[in-house]
Amino acid sequence: MIERVRVAVVGVGNNTSALVQGIAFYRQTGSLAGIHKPTIGGLGVGDIDLVAAFATSAEKIGKDVTEAIFMPPNNFPRLNCELPAADVPVTRGLVDATEVDRVAAALAGAEVLLYSAPSGRAETARAYAEAACKAGVAFINTTSDAVARDPMWIDRFETAGIPILGDDLASQFGTSVVHNALLRLLEERGLTLVSSYQVNLGGTEDFRNLVENPNTKKQSKLNALSADDKVQIAPLGYLSHLNSQKVAHLNLEALGWGETAVSLDVKLKVHDPSGAAGVNIDLIRIAASAIRNGRGGYPAEASPLLKSPPGTAI
Amino acid sequence: MIERVRVAVVGVGNNTSALVQGIAFYRQTGSLAGIHKPTIGGLGVGDIDLVAAFATSAEKIGKDVTEAIFMPPNNFPRLNCELPAADVPVTRGLVDATEVDRVAAALAGAEVLLYSAPSGRAETARAYAEAACKAGVAFINTTSDAVARDPMWIDRFETAGIPILGDDLASQFGTSVVHNALLRLLEERGLTLVSSYQVNLGGTEDFRNLVENPNTKKQSKLNALSADDKVQIAPLGYLSHLNSQKVAHLNLEALGWGETAVSLDVKLKVHDPSGAAGVNIDLIRIAASAIRNGRGGYPAEASPLLKSPPGTAI
Amino acid sequence: MIERVRVAVVGVGNNTSALVQGIAFYRQTGSLAGIHKPTIGGLGVGDIDLVAAFATSAEKIGKDVTEAIFMPPNNFPRLNCELPAADVPVTRGLVDATEVDRVAAALAGAEVLLYSAPSGRAETARAYAEAACKAGVAFINTTSDAVARDPMWIDRFETAGIPILGDDLASQFGTSVVHNALLRLLEERGLTLVSSYQVNLGGTEDFRNLVENPNTKKQSKLNALSADDKVQIAPLGYLSHLNSQKVAHLNLEALGWGETAVSLDVKLKVHDPSGAAGVNIDLIRIAASAIRNGRGGYPAEASPLLKSPPGTAI
Amino acid sequence: MIERVRVAVVGVGNNTSALVQGIAFYRQTGSLAGIHKPTIGGLGVGDIDLVAAFATSAEKIGKDVTEAIFMPPNNFPRLNCELPAADVPVTRGLVDATEVDRVAAALAGAEVLLYSAPSGRAETARAYAEAACKAGVAFINTTSDAVARDPMWIDRFETAGIPILGDDLASQFGTSVVHNALLRLLEERGLTLVSSYQVNLGGTEDFRNLVENPNTKKQSKLNALSADDKVQIAPLGYLSHLNSQKVAHLNLEALGWGETAVSLDVKLKVHDPSGAAGVNIDLIRIAASAIRNGRGGYPAEASPLLKSPPGTAI
């Protein structure tokens, strides 16, 4: 029987809630529904143990992670399963680089560090990367802050023989996935795009942050949509009633044979944190396989799961 | 300069209207919008001349084909271009096999015969195939009637050194194309389909015929959707107000990570005859290239354009 | 404290399931959500007791009604409440008029008979009406069969001093309600309708029956939509996956100022049996108030709840 | 034959384009499609003549108004009619209160002044009101700036025996109209709203202004939606591709009988300037009838056409 992966996580938000609950759900039910890869490197989705969790919210610190994941502003729903206490109290996360050593010490016993805090705090992300490197722990950056796509950091991890994965996870199934698929489909079939739009609405704290600081994310989304100036993205809408659900409205107007009109309207409804957890579970297993096999640096097989892998603009 | 393809067509309905008007439109405008392949075998979409047209409607017979395509029940709109008279009067189509020789004689001067009559008259389709074979003209069957997928007919055409293409053209962009793309996308991303439906509404004579005789087409569509019993297709709806437009409503309900709900709702609006003409223009050019190069039998490159190519169930 | 209404019901399908479960739900939770009228004649929605139930399905006969409502083909979901046994075994329903006396005897102790069997069995409906009249029990016909709008029957009940209500209940919130509201809204605002369609999809046994026998219901729906030939109704679609949910797609195309285009697309999703129960609970209370006050014949206040009240075409 | 109303307009944007073109369209075609009231006070929609137009854009000043309405950033489409030159060159609009007398002089010959500039310039709106009052011309304020709902201004006009109408025109058919109708419908039928949202997307200059200065309009919209905290409005999205079209996505989630789920999703597509012109044509005729009948002050029959009539908060 394979040894379970020991994972530390930074950020005890909705995405961590979905990850922790999902692991418990699949262990108990044996279901394979909604799982992208049943096994990676021999590791099933249940073969993950959380061994440490860092957060900065005073309310969450000290609570068991299985309790902290349900504290506001988290609003991912309770999955339909038992959730035994993890016996992992939430640890105070680092605030500045002077605390790298404390965090590195706290990572003893972990194999993988999943950095799952909000985007937009590049210094913090890099401090955790440094702590992981010192502790000999694989590092995954799920935020859009440039770490894994920074050649300096890849070099450091490669030299240390430790894997580093990132940046910016691509949701298992989100607006970009669907929009891109439809844009590609039009192209494959020889239709000519006239115009297209995308509106995203959500009720998580992540959404609220993005609404208040919209520019980077919107640009990143536009990049993800093949830089076509016929595609326009409306401002994100924070609607608290949606809780952890995201709703997207897409429209594509195109021309077919004889320049006759073709139109497509799509409504997509998903749980954003599920889309993140469904990819994090793969990144963790790729990271674990790499570190167990002594492969340092960036493992290329992670690229399809990332929006900004090494080689993309910083 | 390449020699234009001389095409005879059976059926002067909406699909022929879209084909004839579209060729004129692209010649005049030089537009490439909505075209799947700008050239095939060196042939552009404007390099097609209609040289004969067969129909059974008393009103259409004797009229120039550029006039007949606007007669009821045809309801494909006038495209935004001049349509010079073709100087091709509509000829009386064959009613039974005794007329094969008359039709074969009328095909003198044609290179390709496009069989674009309504589905459901297998005897008629085969009589035209026989006429084409006798006249040394490439044959394209766009209906679901089994001709090109029947080994006997392929043999005959192969022996005669004449190309035969079919059966049942796959629309350039229709409900099946979009539905299949989304079903595949869910699967690729690891989501689990719970249920899906498709409703098709249209206002053409074809739609009216299908509504009155629904079973074969529905089965054919289900086959096209990867035979998944989670996919249900509602009865076709004939709504005369839609004229040549088709509207489809699709729904897909799936499970993502942790069995959380994912849903997709799609409305698609297209002109059905444009979807047919956009593929017929490719089939004609494949057929012309084959006959000009002396390739008899079935040209494999036609398969992506067909729902029931050779090898599928008869 | 008001005396509870003693109700007998014919038909132990989804609508009865929604009624019986809903009464229990509201008694337990004290919720008022989804209730049209908290009280009618002093009667709350919890002030109803089922005292008899008739059905023809061999499996259901003899079972307690609280058990029988979950037997196939019923597929209305279990509401989130306890459902104590009613101690009302399902009685064999009548098959022909010879059994009127047996049913009348079984109605002893009831005040109201709710006829909630499938539409299309006018003889049966009238036999139950006769039994109710004999037993001195108020009669409610929820089907489209002509009973309460037949002057002969109103006379009989009026003479007997017993209330009769019907025919054909208008759902609390269904496709017609929404479609009519939008058509009226366009008119009020001075827009000119160009075309409109409606597609209804459902997964209940009622839907399956309507699909197999579509004409009457479709006509009835069209009548309900102000007899406008610009409104077209697509064939009903039976999609078993929907279970007791109904999904409707509506489209309205109109002209505004300067004949510029206005379009509305609507997707509606409801539980059909809830829409029926939400109206049946009002009809029952109107019937009970009338019989307790000695008002025979048709109580006019029922008309807004009915599609074919007295005075409409038979 | 009735004497035509002589109207001056402030603002030569999309709304004026729709008004001017629409009047020409209806005169030529005799169509009544899309017209709210064929006549008001005996005045048809064609009985309006534009006699003066004020604008501040250097490009528009001096051009005939029938030319200026097609200059950028205007993007309302050309209607399908001839548009004879009006022989009304666009006059330089006022920039501050020192120009009131110049404008008043320019209003000689007009009966009604339609103030149709962008919202948000209260001083300017009031300066035009003053000019109208001096010139003895009825004043209509279509913006959200407080003029007609300010008791001081009503008094002045009443004393002068001149009508004043406003503020903030309610579109003939827009998002609020549809959203309110559906919210009311749920309530009438006894359903309980759980949550609702509204997203508005548009491509006019008005939209661009609102996106850059969103708060007032959003609040005004929320007020229009019966102040229900269950209704959330997403940020407006400026999408240039939409040109003068507005697209709105609405969602309503509610509870029916037994607290079962009911959901409604709506997509609305309209030309915003048509919605304005369709109401301005009524306000103009109400104003003309009032001034011709010597009725000064606020004519109460205008209230249904306004969002902020006298009596609402300033």
Side-chain angles (χ1 to χ4, degrees):
Chain A
M1 196 180 160
I2 203 157
E3 197 189 347
R4 284 191 177 166
V5 182
R6 296 180 309 281
V7 174
V9 66
V10 179
V12 182
N14 278 324
N15 292 0
T16 297
S17 178
L19 181 67
V20 168
Q21 289 193 72
I23 291 169
F25 175 85
Y26 287 114
R27 278 187 194 162
Q28 281 170 39
T29 61
S31 165
L32 289 176
I35 293 177
H36 183 225
K37 302 265 186 194
T39 59
I40 293 180
L43 293 159
V45 300
D47 295 328
I48 313 290
D49 274 332
L50 204 67
V51 298
F54 300 89
T56 51
S57 146
E59 290 77 25
K60 288 176 182 165
I61 294 168
K63 300 281 193 315
D64 191 78
V65 68
T66 55
E67 182 184 351
I69 56 177
F70 297 111
M71 298 175 74
N74 289 13
N75 52 13
F76 184 75
R78 277 180 195 272
L79 296 186
N80 189 19
C81 66
E82 294 294 306
L83 186 63
D87 206 16
V88 175
V90 174
T91 305
R92 186 166 48 84
L94 63 72
V95 178
D96 60 52
T98 64
E99 301 182 276
V100 166
D101 288 340
R102 176 176 64 82
V103 167
L107 290 175
E111 290 172 281
V112 174
L113 176 59
L114 178 73
Y115 182 73
S116 184
S119 290
R121 305 171 192 165
E123 290 307 305
T124 307
R126 289 182 200 128
Y128 277 106
E130 192 170 338
C133 199
K134 280 199 175 179
V137 168
F139 182 73
I140 302 169
N141 174 31
T142 69
T143 73
S144 58
D145 301 315
V147 184
R149 68 185 184 277
D150 180 340
M152 187 274 281
W153 283 100
I154 301 188
D155 277 359
R156 271 184 76 172
F157 275 78
E158 203 154 10
T159 306
I162 305 168
I164 178 167
L165 289 73
D167 300 321
D168 208 2
L169 70 83
S171 174
Q172 189 183 0
F173 201 81
T175 317
S176 302
V177 167
V178 175
H179 207 163
N180 270 319
L182 293 172
L183 290 168
R184 272 199 318 268
L185 185 67
L186 286 176
E187 200 178 339
E188 277 169 30
R189 306 298 294 190
L191 274 65
T192 301
L193 188 69
V194 173
S195 68
S196 185
Y197 70 75
Q198 177 190 120
V199 192
N200 290 281
L201 310 168
T204 62
E205 199 60 14
D206 265 9
F207 245 81
R208 189 204 286 270
N209 290 334
L210 289 167
V211 167
E212 289 169 6
N213 183 15
N215 294 326
T216 29
K217 187 71 178 188
K218 187 174 170 183
Q219 191 50 49
S220 143
K221 270 192 163 296
L222 274 168
N223 291 343
L225 288 164
S226 64
D228 190 330
D229 72 351
K230 290 176 179 165
V231 179
Q232 298 189 326
I233 301 197
L236 294 169
Y238 171 71
L239 302 178
S240 62
H241 296 146
L242 292 176
N243 292 315
S244 77
Q245 286 189 311
K246 178 157 76 178
V247 171
H249 295 281
L250 310 180
N251 169 259
L252 298 93
E253 302 288 338
L255 299 176
W257 174 258
E259 293 196 355
T260 53
V262 172
S263 73
L264 266 171
D265 281 287
V266 180
K267 182 182 183 185
L268 167 67
K269 202 166 165 182
V270 295
H271 280 276
D272 237 11
S274 296
V279 171
N280 280 334
I281 198 75
D282 288 0
L283 292 171
I284 289 169
R285 292 181 291 170
I286 292 171
S289 298
I291 200 166
R292 289 178 179 189
N293 291 317
R295 294 167 56 204
Y298 178 75
E301 66 267 35
S303 288
L305 307 176
L306 298 163
K307 285 188 190 147
S308 303
T312 55
I314 292 190
Chain B
M1 193 177 162
I2 204 158
E3 197 188 347
R4 284 190 179 167
V5 182
R6 297 181 307 284
V7 174
V9 66
V10 179
V12 183
N14 278 326
N15 292 359
T16 296
S17 178
L19 181 68
V20 168
Q21 289 193 73
I23 291 169
F25 174 86
Y26 286 114
R27 279 187 193 163
Q28 281 170 39
T29 60
S31 165
L32 290 176
I35 294 176
H36 183 224
K37 300 264 187 195
T39 61
I40 293 180
L43 292 159
V45 300
D47 295 329
I48 313 288
D49 275 334
L50 205 68
V51 298
F54 299 89
T56 51
S57 146
E59 291 77 22
K60 288 177 182 164
I61 294 168
K63 301 282 191 313
D64 191 79
V65 68
T66 56
E67 184 184 349
I69 55 177
F70 298 110
M71 298 176 72
N74 288 13
N75 53 12
F76 185 75
R78 277 180 194 274
L79 295 187
N80 188 20
C81 66
E82 294 294 305
L83 187 63
D87 207 16
V88 175
V90 175
T91 306
R92 185 164 50 81
L94 63 73
V95 178
D96 59 50
T98 65
E99 300 182 278
V100 165
D101 288 339
R102 176 176 65 80
V103 168
L107 290 176
E111 292 172 279
V112 174
L113 176 60
L114 178 72
Y115 182 72
S116 183
S119 291
R121 305 170 192 166
E123 289 308 304
T124 307
R126 289 181 200 126
Y128 277 106
E130 191 170 339
C133 199
K134 281 199 173 179
V137 167
F139 183 73
I140 302 169
N141 174 32
T142 70
T143 72
S144 58
D145 301 315
V147 184
R149 68 184 185 275
D150 180 339
M152 188 274 281
W153 282 101
I154 300 188
D155 277 359
R156 272 184 73 174
F157 274 78
E158 202 154 10
T159 305
I162 305 169
I164 179 167
L165 289 72
D167 301 325
D168 207 2
L169 71 83
S171 175
Q172 188 183 359
F173 201 82
T175 317
S176 302
V177 168
V178 175
H179 207 163
N180 269 320
L182 293 174
L183 290 168
R184 272 199 318 268
L185 185 66
L186 286 177
E187 201 178 338
E188 276 168 31
R189 306 299 294 192
L191 274 64
T192 301
L193 188 68
V194 174
S195 68
S196 185
Y197 69 76
Q198 178 189 120
V199 192
N200 290 281
L201 310 169
T204 62
E205 200 60 15
D206 265 10
F207 244 82
R208 190 204 286 271
N209 291 335
L210 289 168
V211 167
E212 288 167 7
N213 185 15
N215 293 327
T216 30
K217 186 70 177 187
K218 188 174 169 183
Q219 190 51 47
S220 143
K221 270 192 165 294
L222 274 168
N223 291 343
L225 288 165
S226 64
D228 190 332
D229 73 351
K230 289 176 180 165
V231 179
Q232 298 190 326
I233 301 197
L236 294 169
Y238 171 70
L239 302 178
S240 63
H241 295 147
L242 291 177
N243 293 313
S244 77
Q245 285 189 310
K246 178 157 77 179
V247 171
H249 295 281
L250 310 180
N251 168 259
L252 298 93
E253 302 288 338
L255 298 176
W257 174 258
E259 294 196 356
T260 53
V262 172
S263 73
L264 267 171
D265 281 286
V266 180
K267 181 182 183 184
L268 167 69
K269 201 166 166 182
V270 296
H271 279 278
D272 237 11
S274 296
V279 170
N280 280 334
I281 199 75
D282 288 0
L283 292 171
I284 288 169
R285 294 182 290 170
I286 292 170
S289 298
I291 200 167
R292 289 178 179 188
N293 291 317
R295 294 167 57 205
Y298 178 74
E301 66 268 35
S303 288
L305 308 174
L306 298 162
K307 283 187 191 148
S308 303
T312 56
I314 293 190
Chain C
M1 196 178 160
I2 204 158
E3 198 189 347
R4 285 192 177 165
V5 182
R6 297 180 309 282
V7 174
V9 65
V10 179
V12 183
N14 278 324
N15 292 359
T16 297
S17 178
L19 181 67
V20 168
Q21 290 193 72
I23 291 169
F25 174 86
Y26 286 114
R27 279 186 193 163
Q28 280 170 39
T29 61
S31 165
L32 290 175
I35 293 177
H36 183 225
K37 301 265 187 195
T39 60
I40 292 181
L43 292 159
V45 300
D47 295 329
I48 314 289
D49 275 332
L50 205 68
V51 298
F54 299 89
T56 51
S57 147
E59 291 77 24
K60 288 177 182 163
I61 294 168
K63 299 282 192 312
D64 191 79
V65 68
T66 56
E67 181 183 353
I69 56 177
F70 298 111
M71 297 176 74
N74 288 13
N75 53 12
F76 184 75
R78 277 179 193 273
L79 296 185
N80 189 19
C81 66
E82 294 295 305
L83 187 62
D87 205 16
V88 175
V90 175
T91 305
R92 186 164 49 82
L94 62 71
V95 178
D96 59 52
T98 64
E99 301 182 277
V100 165
D101 289 339
R102 176 177 64 81
V103 167
L107 290 176
E111 291 173 281
V112 175
L113 176 60
L114 178 73
Y115 181 73
S116 184
S119 289
R121 305 170 192 166
E123 289 308 304
T124 307
R126 291 182 199 125
Y128 277 108
E130 192 170 338
C133 199
K134 282 199 174 179
V137 167
F139 182 72
I140 302 169
N141 174 32
T142 70
T143 72
S144 58
D145 301 315
V147 184
R149 68 184 185 276
D150 181 338
M152 187 274 281
W153 282 100
I154 301 187
D155 277 359
R156 271 184 74 173
F157 275 78
E158 202 153 11
T159 307
I162 305 168
I164 177 167
L165 289 73
D167 301 324
D168 207 2
L169 71 84
S171 174
Q172 188 183 358
F173 201 81
T175 317
S176 303
V177 167
V178 175
H179 206 164
N180 269 320
L182 293 172
L183 290 167
R184 273 199 318 269
L185 186 67
L186 287 176
E187 201 177 339
E188 277 169 29
R189 307 297 295 191
L191 273 64
T192 301
L193 188 69
V194 173
S195 68
S196 185
Y197 68 76
Q198 178 190 119
V199 193
N200 291 281
L201 310 169
T204 62
E205 199 59 15
D206 264 9
F207 244 82
R208 190 204 286 270
N209 290 334
L210 289 167
V211 167
E212 287 167 7
N213 183 17
N215 294 326
T216 30
K217 186 72 177 187
K218 187 173 169 183
Q219 191 51 48
S220 143
K221 270 192 164 292
L222 274 168
N223 290 344
L225 288 165
S226 65
D228 189 331
D229 73 350
K230 290 176 179 163
V231 179
Q232 298 189 326
I233 301 197
L236 295 170
Y238 171 70
L239 302 178
S240 62
H241 295 147
L242 292 176
N243 292 314
S244 77
Q245 286 189 310
K246 178 157 76 177
V247 171
H249 294 281
L250 311 179
N251 169 258
L252 298 94
E253 302 288 338
L255 298 175
W257 174 258
E259 294 196 356
T260 52
V262 173
S263 74
L264 267 171
D265 281 287
V266 180
K267 181 182 184 185
L268 167 67
K269 202 166 166 182
V270 295
H271 280 276
D272 238 11
S274 296
V279 171
N280 280 334
I281 198 75
D282 288 0
L283 292 171
I284 289 169
R285 292 181 291 169
I286 292 171
S289 298
I291 200 166
R292 289 177 179 189
N293 292 316
R295 294 166 56 204
Y298 177 75
E301 66 267 35
S303 288
L305 308 175
L306 297 163
K307 283 188 190 147
S308 304
T312 56
I314 293 189
Chain D
M1 194 180 161
I2 203 157
E3 196 190 347
R4 284 191 178 167
V5 182
R6 298 182 306 284
V7 174
V9 67
V10 179
V12 183
N14 278 326
N15 292 359
T16 297
S17 178
L19 181 68
V20 168
Q21 291 193 72
I23 291 169
F25 174 86
Y26 286 114
R27 280 186 192 162
Q28 281 171 38
T29 61
S31 165
L32 290 176
I35 293 177
H36 182 224
K37 301 265 187 195
T39 60
I40 292 180
L43 293 158
V45 299
D47 294 330
I48 314 288
D49 274 334
L50 204 67
V51 298
F54 300 89
T56 51
S57 146
E59 291 75 25
K60 289 175 182 165
I61 294 168
K63 300 283 191 313
D64 192 79
V65 68
T66 56
E67 183 184 350
I69 56 177
F70 297 111
M71 298 176 74
N74 288 13
N75 53 13
F76 184 75
R78 277 180 193 274
L79 296 185
N80 189 20
C81 66
E82 294 295 305
L83 186 64
D87 206 16
V88 175
V90 174
T91 306
R92 186 164 50 82
L94 62 72
V95 177
D96 59 51
T98 64
E99 300 182 277
V100 166
D101 288 340
R102 176 176 65 81
V103 167
L107 291 176
E111 293 173 278
V112 174
L113 176 61
L114 178 72
Y115 182 73
S116 184
S119 291
R121 305 171 192 165
E123 289 307 304
T124 307
R126 291 181 199 127
Y128 277 106
E130 192 171 338
C133 199
K134 281 198 175 180
V137 167
F139 182 73
I140 302 168
N141 174 33
T142 69
T143 71
S144 58
D145 301 315
V147 184
R149 70 184 184 276
D150 180 339
M152 188 274 281
W153 282 101
I154 301 188
D155 276 359
R156 272 183 75 171
F157 276 78
E158 201 152 13
T159 306
I162 306 167
I164 178 167
L165 290 73
D167 302 323
D168 208 1
L169 72 83
S171 174
Q172 188 182 0
F173 201 82
T175 317
S176 302
V177 168
V178 175
H179 206 162
N180 269 320
L182 293 173
L183 290 168
R184 273 199 317 269
L185 186 66
L186 287 177
E187 201 178 338
E188 277 168 30
R189 307 298 294 191
L191 274 64
T192 301
L193 188 69
V194 174
S195 68
S196 184
Y197 69 76
Q198 178 190 120
V199 192
N200 290 281
L201 309 169
T204 63
E205 200 60 14
D206 265 11
F207 244 81
R208 190 205 286 271
N209 291 334
L210 288 168
V211 167
E212 288 168 7
N213 184 15
N215 293 326
T216 30
K217 188 71 177 187
K218 187 173 169 184
Q219 190 51 48
S220 143
K221 270 193 165 292
L222 274 168
N223 291 343
L225 288 165
S226 65
D228 189 330
D229 73 351
K230 289 176 179 164
V231 179
Q232 299 189 326
I233 301 196
L236 295 169
Y238 171 70
L239 302 178
S240 63
H241 295 146
L242 292 176
N243 293 313
S244 77
Q245 285 188 312
K246 178 158 76 179
V247 171
H249 295 281
L250 310 180
N251 168 259
L252 298 93
E253 302 288 337
L255 298 176
W257 173 259
E259 294 197 355
T260 52
V262 172
S263 73
L264 269 171
D265 281 287
V266 180
K267 182 183 182 183
L268 167 68
K269 202 166 165 182
V270 296
H271 280 277
D272 237 11
S274 297
V279 170
N280 280 335
I281 198 75
D282 288 1
L283 292 172
I284 289 169
R285 294 182 289 170
I286 292 171
S289 298
I291 200 166
R292 289 177 179 188
N293 291 317
R295 293 168 56 206
Y298 178 75
E301 65 268 35
S303 289
L305 309 174
L306 298 163
K307 284 187 191 149
S308 303
T312 55
I314 293 190

